[in-house]
Every structure is written in structure tokens, then in C-alpha cells.
Amino acid sequence: MPILLPGRREHGAAPLLARALAEIGVRPVLAPQPCPPEEAVRLIAEEGVTYLAALPSQLRALLELSPAAPAWPPALDRALLSGEPVDDGLRHAAAKAGIEIFAHYGLTETCFGGGVECGAHQGYHLREADLPVEVIDPLSGGSLADGLEGEVMVSTLARRGRPLLRYRTGDMGRMLPGPCACGSPLRTLGPVAGRIVTDGGPSRCSLRKREQRTRHDRPAQDARPLAFGRQARRIGHHRHP
């Protein structure tokens, strides 16, 4: 499984994913850095893989090479995307190329863990054995029932050093009521609608919609994930390695 995600530090997202894949018998292939789209397509075709892990902007750059080209890897049919919002336009373009997208939701503060889509594509199945997730009223802090939109809050109870208790992420979402169509018993966090923006004090807030466009003024291989988590309020970018 080629991993195009940026960062090659020991505890970065890409090496951690590679280690996890190897533990379940999947052979990871860490793409070189930088890895232009043409090189990525060549690597995927040579490996004969059906699945890749990448940023949404990286998959978009691959699709812009035209899946009809002779060099396009015909076996590629699935993509695990993380680090940036996945918009409907990218899903449509990927589907036309025969690629099914599985989006992952995570934060730097949770060591990249969070939830991932299933084949039903209704939201993110949460890994709550490690990361309990709540949805609260962003003004009162009170818990909200499933189906009601509010601020996503997480706790990192399994962390040995500096665990987070009821950490307010600043992301707006809702827990989906009822079982998922895939049959999983895991709870499902619906798509994140945007970021909560305070407006003059704790008694007022608004919603900033998630950015649906990826910046094209930088190479895809150098792209960095957009913000998820409180740090985004200060610097506007995810602290991804």
C-alpha cells in the first residue's frame, strides 16, 4: 500500500500508518519525499496495488493526470484520505476514475487517531476504546443528543503522558443516531460541518464552513493538512509533521 502522506519523522503520521499496516500483514510502501504526481503514478503502477493513503490534494493531483492515460494504474480502486477536507467534487472525480474514497478524521492532539468512513460513507466510525467522543453545546458546554449539531469534544484516556480530558476541538459536527447501514456497532460521527468561531465573547459564536477547495499555488507533494483542533484558531494550519 503506497503511503503518499507527507512527513517521515519516526512518530509522524506516515511512519505510524506504515507500522500499523505491517502489523496486520499489509506491505506498506513509503513514497519518497518529495513525490511528484507522475512519480506517484509510476510507483502505484509498479507495485500493482489497489489502495493508497494520501492527502486529498495529492489524490486530486493524480486525477489531473487523466485516468485514461496509458500509465494510469488500472488496479487502483480505493483511497484512504486524511489531513484535509474531502469535498464532493473530489469524490465525484475519484468515482469517475473507479476509486472509492474512505475519509479519515483525526487531530494532532489525539496522535492522529479519530474515526474513519466505512462503505456506507455516512460519517466516521469512532475508535472510542481509546478516544471517547462527545458533542456539546458550544455556548453552555452541555451534552447534546445524537442528531444535534454542536462542538466535537474528545478525551485521550489511553495516553500515558498528558492525557486530554473533554478537549474542545472547535470542530462542528453531530453524532448520527441509530446503527450504521454497514452493521457496525461503533458510533458514527457525521461529517464535520466547519469550525466554531467566537464572536466578541463566550456568549456568541458562529460557524465557519469547511474550506472546500484545496490550494493550487503549491505542489501537491508539499501540501500540508488543514487545521483540525484548537491550534487552528491561532495559526490556521494543522501541526502535522
Side-chain angles (χ1 to χ4, degrees):
M1 177 178 179
I3 300 175
L4 305 184
L5 295 168
R8 294 295 180 266
R9 291 187 295 181
E10 181 181 1
H11 298 295
L16 287 175
L17 177 58
R19 190 183 312 165
L21 290 171
E23 290 177 355
I24 62 173
V26 177
R27 186 173 66 88
V29 179
L30 283 168
Q33 296 278 285
C35 187
E38 295 81 3
E39 174 65 17
V41 167
R42 185 194 62 79
L43 176 66
I44 295 168
E46 285 184 355
E47 296 292 335
V49 298
T50 61
Y51 212 131
L52 69 85
L55 299 174
S57 57
Q58 291 173 321
L59 178 59
R60 191 187 306 275
L62 296 183
L63 293 172
E64 288 175 352
L65 293 179
S66 178
W72 183 260
L76 180 62
D77 61 6
R78 286 163 291 173
L80 174 66
L81 302 186
S82 187
E84 299 168 351
V86 179
D87 61 74
D88 292 341
L90 178 57
R91 287 186 186 274
H92 179 70
K96 288 182 62 178
I99 300 173
E100 184 178 9
I101 288 176
F102 295 86
H104 175 272
Y105 171 76
L107 297 80
T108 302
E109 292 89 338
T110 62
C111 295
F112 313 119
V116 67
E117 284 184 325
C118 66
H121 300 290
Q122 296 176 344
Y124 309 99
H125 283 310
L126 299 168
R127 294 187 279 274
E128 291 194 287
D130 298 316
L131 299 166
V133 176
E134 307 169 64
V135 176
I136 63 168
D137 185 300
L139 297 181
S140 70
S143 296
L144 295 177
D146 290 355
L148 297 180
E149 196 168 69
E151 184 173 5
V152 179
M153 175 183 283
V154 300
S155 297
T156 58
L157 301 182
R159 300 291 176 262
R160 295 183 180 180
R162 300 181 66 182
L164 301 175
L165 301 177
R166 307 195 77 212
Y167 177 77
R168 300 181 63 159
T169 66
D171 290 335
M172 183 70 84
R174 62 189 178 98
M175 299 299 303
L176 301 183
C180 178
C182 75
S184 172
L186 298 176
R187 291 205 303 161
T188 306
L189 176 68
V192 174
R195 297 282 303 163
I196 296 172
V197 181
T198 57
D199 183 18
S203 62
R204 293 184 296 172
C205 69
S206 59
L207 178 66
R208 183 175 68 224
K209 293 293 184 181
R210 290 180 65 173
E211 179 61 54
Q212 293 297 312
R213 293 174 299 174
T214 302
R215 289 180 58 185
H216 291 284
D217 58 349
R218 58 186 177 186
Q221 68 270 18
D222 293 331
R224 292 294 182 268
L226 300 182
F228 290 127
R230 186 175 299 276
Q231 185 73 2
R233 299 178 180 178
R234 297 194 291 273
I235 63 175
H237 285 81
H238 193 337
R239 294 166 294 160
H240 194 297

